[in-house]
Amino acid sequence: PCSGAILVSLKTFLARLGLLIGCVVVVLASTWPVPVLMHDHLIVDIDHADVQSTLWWFPAFAEAILDGRSPFLRSELAWPIGQDTRLLIWNYALALILLPVTLLIDAPITRMNVSGLLIMGLNGLAAGLVGERLGGKTGSWAAMIFAAGSFYAFQEAGTGRMEQGFWAPIVVYLYALVSIRQTPGSRRSCLLGAAALALTGAVYWF
């Protein structure tokens, strides 16, 4: 019994690893040649208002967090009084999720492109989990390819509207609903669904 459980776990791990590798390939292929031009090219003009605000907001958020200051008030906006960023459409939850990318990558254009690619990858992996629940391995790969290769998601992320391209929390919520339906009373699925729905509300404001 023990060896059988280990074999099942190994098969599950390899299946998930294959899905992850496939997701990376789909994201790179569907956005080519962005992956090799990401250091100095954006998919839209840098004069786009949403691009400029996103290029500024994520490092500004990271700077405030690292300095122990509130990200809710920025003195460089409406100087010298400052501006309450809660009154503006800037996403705190997604800025927190992408904080590692912001801290690791200094170049603003590269950081924005990597963030877009990462969002597509997270979308694909989340969709793959739902597809696995509904249609096994075939459903998992089909859903992953559809989500990870979505031009709409990358277009939204690439034009600065990161939250509108980030579907993963919504998809995880759907995954939890399917799990609850298949296993009624599952506390784990209920907690996952609640957390995903809360994150969806925090990330997606439109």
Side-chain angles (χ1 to χ4, degrees):
C2 183
S3 60
I6 293 175
L7 183 60
V8 171
S9 298
L10 180 60
K11 286 183 177 180
T12 301
F13 170 76
L14 292 176
R16 298 285 168 78
L17 180 61
L19 188 70
L20 174 61
I21 295 173
C23 186
V24 171
V25 172
V26 170
V27 169
L28 296 179
S30 61
T31 58
W32 196 265
V34 171
V36 295
L37 299 174
M38 67 169 59
H39 300 298
D40 50 13
H41 285 72
L42 287 171
I43 64 171
V44 294
D45 196 309
I46 199 169
D47 291 332
H48 194 291
D50 288 333
V51 171
Q52 292 183 355
S53 63
T54 300
L55 287 173
W56 171 81
W57 170 238
F58 288 121
F61 177 87
E63 177 188 328
I65 295 297
L66 292 179
D67 291 346
R69 295 184 288 107
S70 170
F72 302 131
L73 181 66
R74 299 300 303 184
S75 59
E76 64 266 40
L77 299 178
W79 188 87
I81 300 173
Q83 171 70 58
D84 186 345
T85 59
R86 289 171 294 187
L87 303 177
L88 306 173
I89 305 177
W90 278 322
N91 197 304
Y92 297 102
L94 192 56
L96 190 60
I97 292 171
L98 294 174
L99 184 60
V101 176
T102 304
L103 295 177
L104 290 172
I105 302 176
D106 291 329
I109 291 178
T110 305
R111 180 174 60 240
M112 189 164 181
N113 283 324
V114 170
S115 296
L117 296 175
L118 179 61
I119 283 174
M120 291 183 68
L122 293 174
N123 289 345
L125 291 176
L129 291 176
V130 177
E132 185 179 59
R133 275 282 183 177
L134 296 174
K137 183 177 180 179
T138 302
S140 176
W141 277 82
M144 180 275 288
I145 292 172
F146 175 79
S150 169
F151 174 76
Y152 167 79
F154 186 71
Q155 182 185 45
E156 291 300 299
T159 51
R161 297 182 291 271
M162 295 282 182
E163 65 282 343
Q164 295 188 46
F166 188 44
W167 308 343
I170 302 174
V171 178
V172 172
Y173 175 64
L174 295 177
Y175 171 81
L177 290 183
V178 173
S179 299
I180 292 171
R181 183 176 180 83
Q182 293 179 345
T183 311
S186 171
R187 180 176 297 181
R188 179 181 176 184
S189 297
C190 290
L191 291 175
L192 178 63
L197 185 60
L199 183 57
T200 299
V203 169
Y204 197 88
W205 293 0
F206 298 92

